[in-house]
Amino acid sequence: SYTWDTLLALRQQSQALLYFLLGSDDYLALSTWYKGRDLPNLAHFLIVPRGHFTEEDFVKATLALWPKAQSLSGSGTHWLLSEGGEVSFLPIPWLDVSSTDIRKRFLAQKSLDFLVPHAELDILHEQAEEIRKIWANS
């Protein structure tokens, strides 16, 4: 489904404040999404960098999407959008992880700590034999 439809359904079910975590690559493509520029009206956007995306890149992208946006922080990491909603930049360290990398590490019986959630690790360990058979042939 469209992200718009999903967030709208969540907003209709609850009055809780919603946050939508989005990678910078998708943030840059937001204008191509269905009602992409309106999405922050349904949930606060939290943008995390991917690759070499910087705070300066975030500011440029934000002003390109919403030219009348106003910075709510001196550093430019938190913005109020004139159309409604808020968007913030979360400058977390970039961890280059891919599903291919995870499969290779799992098959080599290397640690996946900090690469996948604990619940996923539990499933991988519980179903290890079956998963190894499938992943070994992919």
Side-chain angles (χ1 to χ4, degrees), residues 22-117:
L22 189 65
S24 57
D25 51 340
D26 287 324
Y27 188 60
L28 291 171
L30 196 60
S31 63
T32 65
W33 290 26
Y34 175 72
K35 295 191 176 188
R37 290 174 30 100
D38 297 327
L39 288 171
N41 293 325
L42 300 176
H44 290 308
F45 267 38
L46 302 173
I47 310 306
V48 295
R50 289 192 175 155
H52 300 288
F53 190 83
T54 66
E55 183 180 316
E56 183 179 326
D57 297 326
F58 168 74
V59 170
K60 287 179 187 177
T62 300
L63 291 173
L65 288 164
W66 300 282
K68 296 180 182 178
Q70 295 180 350
S71 176
L72 295 175
S73 65
S75 64
T77 58
H78 189 95
W79 291 77
L80 177 63
L81 309 179
S82 57
E83 296 85 351
E86 295 178 22
V87 62
S88 299
F89 181 65
L90 298 176
I92 60 175
W94 170 252
L95 182 59
D96 193 14
V97 179
S98 71
S99 58
T100 301
D101 223 14
I102 289 177
R103 283 192 298 273
K104 285 180 182 177
R105 292 182 66 82
F106 178 81
L107 290 172
Q109 297 182 345
K110 292 184 179 178
S111 174
L112 296 176
D113 290 344
F114 307 108
L115 299 176
V116 297

Side-chain angles (χ1 to χ4, degrees), residues 2-14:
Y2 289 114
T3 301
W4 172 265
D5 295 335
T6 302
L7 289 176
L8 185 60
L10 288 170
R11 284 296 298 265
Q12 290 170 343
Q13 292 175 8
S14 172

